[in-house]
Amino acid sequence: MSPLPPPLILPFKGVWPRVADDVFLAPGAVIVGDVEIGAGSSVWFGCVLRGDVNAIRVGERVNLQDGTIVHVTSGGWPTTIGNDVTVGHRAILHACTLESDSFVGMGATVMDEVVVESWAMVAAGALVTPGKRVGGGTLWAGSPAKERRLLSQEEKDGFRTSAARYAELAQGYRAG
């Protein structure tokens, strides 16, 4: 059996992505242009990070799960993701900021100039419209998303658990 194909890593206008040595980039992931990915992070199958018209910055121990799309706006906002962030399968992040220790659920869309503060959660399937600020310790859900309730300490503790679990899983994939 042949080894898995590598991810596709491409420059844009001479700028190559910069990826820490221990990052897991799954086969089928596409990383283009002005993208930086921090140590211990993982970019799973079918993800696209396209830093062509602005920058994408991904912190340490971030997991971008299968099918996630990360993009930016020209002349506008980059996309910035802090440390210990979980982004669920098939999420869309566009020209937004996810602070450290935040969580974005499966199929959620986070649009231009949104800030998801530390210890905040965007629920699965939510649509956070441009310019919103998702306050720390809150759950936002719906389409359009709005604040629904405060998160419990147990839920917030789960953010770090999720990030650590994905970092461990990614190292298992790296090890073969």
Side-chain angles (χ1 to χ4, degrees), residues 17-128:
R18 292 161 308 285
V19 179
D21 290 339
D22 67 343
V23 168
F24 172 66
L25 298 177
V30 178
I31 317 294
V32 179
D34 191 2
V35 177
E36 289 183 12
I37 304 174
S41 291
S42 54
V43 179
W44 294 87
F45 304 95
C47 289
V48 176
L49 284 72
R50 187 160 55 96
D52 50 4
V53 296
N54 211 320
I56 296 172
R57 300 293 179 259
V58 177
E60 297 179 358
R61 297 169 306 281
V62 171
N63 61 90
L64 301 174
Q65 296 173 18
D66 310 65
T68 292
I69 297 170
V70 183
H71 196 230
V72 291
T73 53
S74 178
W77 276 44
T79 295
T80 304
I81 303 171
N83 300 324
D84 300 298
V85 174
T86 291
V87 177
H89 309 285
R90 209 181 45 78
I92 298 173
L93 306 176
H94 198 270
C96 60
T97 298
L98 308 181
E99 293 182 353
S100 294
D101 300 300
S102 59
F103 189 103
V104 174
M106 294 183 281
T109 299
V110 181
M111 298 194 60
D112 299 40
E113 300 183 24
V114 167
V115 175
V116 178
E117 294 181 359
S118 295
W119 307 110
M121 177 187 282
V122 175
L127 170 62
V128 185

Side-chain angles (χ1 to χ4, degrees), residues 151-159:
L151 294 168
S152 69
Q153 188 60 50
E154 182 179 1
E155 288 170 315
K156 291 186 283 187
D157 291 345
F159 296 178

